[in-house]
Amino acid sequence: MKILSIETSCDETAVAVVEATGGFIDSKFKILGNALYSQASKHAEYGGVYPTLAKREHSKNLVPLLQKALTEAGLFNTGSVDVNPEVDNILERETELLEQFKELIPKTAIPDIDAIAVTQGPGLEPALWVGLNFAKALSLVWNKPLVPINHMEGHILSPLFEDGVQIQFPALSLLISGGHTQLVLIKDWFDYVIIGETRDDAVGEAYDKVARMLSLPYPGGPEISRLADEARARELQTNKSLPRPMINTDDYDFSFSGLKTAVLYRIKDKELTEIKKLEIAREFEDAVVDVLVKKTKNAIENNGIKTLILGGGVIANKEIRKNMIILARDSGVNLLLPEFSMATDNAVMIAVAGYLRLIDEKVKDQQPYGVAGLSADGNLRLD
């Protein structure tokens, strides 16, 4: 089965074509085409993602990325296709996207794909709508099933892209990104319960805010990690005076706003030397890691977890990865850790989730998915 997938939840515009075979325990995936455009440099001057700009960039880049992905997959051919007039209504708010769509699609043969998977949410709703409406238009013109995917489910299932990877249930997923910090109990395929989440700032958001306090460039998370790594390499000592919020509570929830505020008070009215930046970056990251490890450890022990799955862009952080590997080993659980390219937002993970949804007997009667009534949801939850 060949899946065309589209991801526009935040500031990455991504289109992929993935070939998938097998079932839940023996699935295999192969990337046939993969096109991604990062908007990070566009948002740098704002110090964070600017929703209107993200929406505009998605609208401008989706058609060229579709052509690139199909070409890489050997599925882009000239032809003659009638474009349903309803496409004008679907893409009426995306003028540039509509113009590019009507320029390319009528002259492109319907590609040999079986379905289209697209991110429905969560994320920036204006950005989500662009990708979802683009997928709706393609589904209508090409008469292909449309599979809406929860972005966080994509992160959970992304490690399955590697051959031979299996999930033993019950499983636990730690999802950490710029917008999310969640512990998700997975009882079976597509059976999720969010048992813990942040009560304020997501961990990636806290990284970026602390980076701005230290006058570091955007995106700030990697810069904080780079300085923290340098501090460790130079064996700079810290006094561990920054708080570890909620580390000893009986629940699995997180809070990072207090840690961020503590950093603000630490540097207030003080000269930020390079050494001081190194020390603060390390101490901040050490505090984050301590909380994530303790909460995850408690969830593993209290729920009989057999598999720990890490997902989200912050999982690319070396120190977090290292400590989670140690935790999984000491806890005796199987660890599924996506490679770096699959940790950040991408369309391949959406294709993986889309394929597994398509072969799920519980939802087979709902196929093909229709485009009518399908809405983007910036706050879409797993449970």
Side-chain angles (χ1 to χ4, degrees):
M1 185 181 293
K2 296 186 185 75
I3 309 293
L4 172 73
S5 54
I6 299 164
E7 155 63 23
T8 63
S9 65
C10 192
D11 62 342
E12 309 283 352
T13 315
V15 180
V17 180
V18 175
E19 186 172 49
T21 59
F24 286 103
I25 62 173
D26 62 349
S27 57
K28 290 184 181 297
F29 301 94
K30 178 182 179 182
I31 298 176
L32 302 181
N34 191 18
L36 184 145
Y37 171 72
S38 174
Q39 304 176 14
S41 61
K42 299 279 187 180
H43 297 274
E45 64 179 287
Y46 301 101
V49 179
Y50 192 63
T52 303
L53 175 60
K55 177 180 183 293
R56 186 166 65 244
E57 288 297 305
H58 290 314
S59 183
K60 181 171 68 176
N61 289 291
L62 273 170
V63 169
L65 290 176
L66 171 69
Q67 184 174 358
K68 181 180 178 182
L70 289 176
T71 300
E72 286 184 6
L75 299 177
F76 182 76
N77 298 291
T78 57
S80 179
V81 177
D82 293 331
V83 173
N84 192 308
E86 181 62 22
V87 166
D88 287 346
N89 294 327
I90 294 173
L91 298 177
E92 63 180 347
R93 295 187 178 182
E94 314 300 336
T95 305
E96 185 172 10
L97 177 57
L98 177 59
E99 290 176 356
Q100 292 184 13
F101 189 99
K102 296 178 78 171
E103 173 65 26
L104 180 71
I105 300 304
K107 299 182 291 187
T108 302
I110 297 175
D112 180 23
I113 60 171
D114 298 283
I116 300 169
V118 62
T119 301
Q120 182 182 13
L124 297 174
E125 203 155 287
L128 288 165
W129 270 113
V130 180
L132 184 64
N133 283 335
F134 182 55
K136 283 183 177 183
L138 290 175
S139 173
L140 183 66
V141 172
W142 290 346
N143 192 30
K144 301 293 183 180
L146 181 62
V147 190
I149 297 298
N150 185 301
H151 178 81
M152 307 312 291
E153 181 174 87
H155 280 302
I156 290 173
L157 299 177
S158 62
L160 296 178
F161 178 77
E162 297 294 319
D163 289 349
V165 173
Q166 295 185 16
I167 299 176
Q168 293 177 292
F169 301 104
L172 177 74
S173 183
L174 172 66
L175 300 173
I176 49 177
S177 66
H180 293 84
T181 304
Q182 294 180 339
L183 280 168
V184 182
L185 176 62
I186 311 168
K187 300 178 180 180
D188 201 347
W189 294 104
F190 309 125
D191 186 354
Y192 308 110
V193 179
I194 299 174
I195 60 174
E197 56 191 326
T198 184
R199 296 184 180 182
D200 39 62
D201 292 349
V203 62
E205 181 183 3
Y207 265 91
D208 286 340
K209 288 179 177 178
V210 170
R212 285 199 291 273
M213 294 177 196
L214 300 181
S215 300
L216 299 175
Y218 177 84
E223 290 296 315
I224 290 285
S225 298
R226 180 183 62 81
L227 294 184
D229 286 344
E230 183 178 342
R232 295 184 190 97
R234 294 170 62 170
E235 298 183 346
L236 297 180
Q237 299 302 312
T238 60
N239 57 19
K240 293 191 175 182
S241 63
L242 288 179
R244 272 66 173 163
M246 299 187 68
I247 194 168
N248 292 317
T249 58
D250 292 333
D251 53 47
Y252 306 117
D253 285 345
F254 302 89
S255 172
F256 293 105
S257 65
L259 174 58
K260 172 197 66 182
T261 302
V263 172
L264 180 62
Y265 281 112
R266 172 73 69 82
I267 66 176
K268 188 177 182 180
D269 300 325
K270 293 180 181 178
E271 182 183 359
L272 272 179
T273 64
E274 289 306 308
I275 292 297
K276 181 59 69 175
K277 287 184 179 182
L278 292 172
E279 292 172 346
I280 291 173
R282 177 179 179 179
E283 189 168 345
F284 168 77
E285 186 164 90
D286 286 348
V288 168
V289 170
D290 287 348
V291 173
L292 291 176
V293 169
K294 180 68 180 299
K295 292 286 185 173
T296 305
K297 181 175 184 291
N298 290 347
I300 289 172
E301 293 176 347
N302 296 336
N303 293 280
I305 298 302
K306 296 179 180 179
T307 304
L308 173 62
I309 306 170
L310 304 184
V314 182
I315 289 302
N317 179 286
K318 294 179 182 177
E319 191 67 14
I320 294 175
R321 289 172 80 95
K322 181 185 78 174
N323 281 273
M324 287 297 167
I325 289 171
I326 294 171
L327 172 62
R329 181 198 65 198
D330 293 347
S331 302
V333 300
N334 181 35
L335 176 65
L336 301 188
L337 184 61
E339 59 183 59
F340 287 105
S341 63
M342 291 288 285
T344 55
D345 294 347
N346 63 88
V348 175
M349 70 180 190
I350 302 303
V352 171
Y355 173 70
L356 295 174
R357 284 273 174 186
L358 282 166
I359 66 171
D360 184 6
E361 291 293 333
K362 291 179 290 186
V363 298
K364 181 172 277 189
D365 291 341
Q366 301 173 26
Q367 300 173 39
Y369 295 89
V371 300
L374 184 58
S375 300
D377 185 350
N379 298 309
L380 186 66
R381 290 178 63 87
L382 280 167
D383 57 3

